Amino acid sequence: MRLLASDASEMVNQVVFGEHFEVLEKDKKWSKIRLAFDSYEGFIDNKQYEEISREVYQQLSTEKKNYAGNLIDFITDDRNNLTTIPLGAHLPFYDQNSFKINTTTFLYDGKVCNEILPKPAIIEKAYLFLNVPYLWGGKTPFGIDCSGFTQTVYKLCGHNLLRDAKQQASQGEVLSFIEESEPGDLAFFDNEEGNITHVGIIMNDYNIIHAHGKVRIDKLDHSGIYNVDTQQHSHKLRVIKKMV
């Protein structure tokens, strides 16, 4: 998903396989869309999506959500074409190892995430992304940014977060001290202008897992994130929030 209708424009997000969205504007090559999952807007190439009816859109918005649960997996369609899907891909109308997009049926026999899981599962899912390289706008095991990481991990556990760190910071319950936090809570960090620009998932023993160069584990203290490699603070703590 691009900021502007151009291949040269920065990638601000990714539309993961199976996600549905509303087309707001459309020209010969590009469409401006709004994702149903988090209302995030941007531009995608018209060649990269298939239109569905308004009725199907509404059904997708109300059905039980099913997501691919393996880092990388494969699906096959009616003509035995093979497609790669990432962890967190959406499986529309999933039922007994198959799902459907319009008239095409896909076979999928991998792990499925479709339950609301307790807090300990958030850390378990976060570990799946350990060492995934940082990618601005990314939200897959091929590359991910800080808020894409937290959003996807929470999604796999059945909890919805908004897309950007600043947006996510508007959700949840504020905690006064690090000592009040539990593994699975989120910590937010701001820049010199006071804008929230980073987010990570709090772990046990004052550790934090976050996407910074790669998905990594560092120390968290009252000042912020202490990078265990550089032996310096890399991010200034702004607020801690309980989301679940």
Side-chain angles (χ1 to χ4, degrees):
M1 181 186 285
R2 304 285 177 182
L3 178 65
L4 303 173
S6 167
D7 288 314
S9 178
E10 69 171 304
M11 184 177 80
V12 293
N13 195 20
Q14 288 180 314
V15 184
V16 178
F17 182 92
E19 282 198 82
H20 64 293
F21 51 83
E22 180 183 359
V23 176
L24 305 176
E25 303 171 13
K26 186 175 182 179
D27 61 22
K28 186 176 181 180
K29 178 175 171 56
W30 295 92
S31 290
K32 184 177 183 180
I33 67 167
R34 179 187 295 133
L35 293 176
F37 181 80
D38 57 14
S39 298
Y40 207 81
E41 295 183 9
F43 292 85
I44 63 172
D45 193 306
N46 293 338
K47 298 188 295 293
Q48 295 183 304
Y49 70 87
E50 182 176 336
E51 291 187 6
I52 58 176
S53 68
R54 185 171 296 275
E55 179 184 5
V56 170
Y57 181 97
Q58 294 299 330
Q59 291 172 347
L60 288 170
S61 297
T62 56
E63 73 156 354
K64 182 178 181 179
K65 301 300 184 289
N66 294 278
Y67 306 114
N70 297 325
L71 270 180
I72 304 297
D73 221 316
F74 303 95
I75 57 175
T76 53
D77 64 15
D78 302 315
R79 293 173 291 180
N80 211 34
N81 293 314
L82 192 69
T83 300
T84 304
I85 60 171
L87 178 65
H90 296 224
L91 309 174
F93 307 116
Y94 177 82
D95 182 42
Q96 298 182 349
N97 298 331
S98 70
F99 63 95
K100 196 169 185 179
I101 298 177
N102 282 337
T103 59
T104 303
T105 299
F106 296 88
L107 299 179
Y108 172 73
D109 60 3
K111 183 178 180 180
V112 177
C113 297
N114 57 14
E115 298 178 356
I116 298 176
L117 301 176
K119 262 187 178 178
I122 294 173
I123 302 301
E124 177 186 338
K125 299 299 183 186
Y127 270 117
L128 294 174
F129 291 90
L130 193 61
N131 294 317
V132 167
Y134 182 89
L135 176 65
W136 179 267
K139 56 181 188 180
T140 77
F142 295 107
I144 203 161
D145 65 21
C146 67
S147 55
F149 168 61
T150 53
Q151 185 191 53
T152 301
V153 167
Y154 266 68
K155 181 180 78 171
L156 292 170
C157 296
H159 308 289
N160 287 14
L161 293 181
L162 297 173
R163 179 59 180 90
D164 292 337
K166 183 177 180 180
Q167 296 173 324
Q168 292 175 10
S170 69
Q171 300 176 260
E173 174 188 342
V174 175
L175 301 177
S176 300
F177 305 101
I178 294 177
E179 290 79 9
E180 294 181 355
S181 68
E182 299 176 344
D185 290 335
L186 297 185
F188 295 90
F189 308 85
D190 59 14
N191 59 16
E192 293 180 357
E193 289 75 39
N195 298 316
I196 290 176
T197 58
H198 193 68
V199 59
I201 301 173
I202 296 174
M203 307 174 73
N204 281 313
D205 301 321
Y206 299 103
N207 290 316
I208 186 168
I209 183 167
H210 64 127
H212 181 60
K214 62 180 180 179
V215 176
R216 54 180 293 127
I217 297 173
D218 286 307
K219 290 295 183 179
L220 178 67
D221 59 31
H222 292 284
S223 295
I225 295 177
Y226 185 77
N227 188 298
V228 297
D229 294 327
T230 65
Q231 301 290 296
Q232 294 179 337
H233 281 91
S234 60
H235 298 83
K236 181 167 65 76
L237 182 62
R238 171 69 173 273
V239 67
I240 295 172
K241 287 213 159 182
K242 177 181 179 180
M243 299 293 184
V244 178

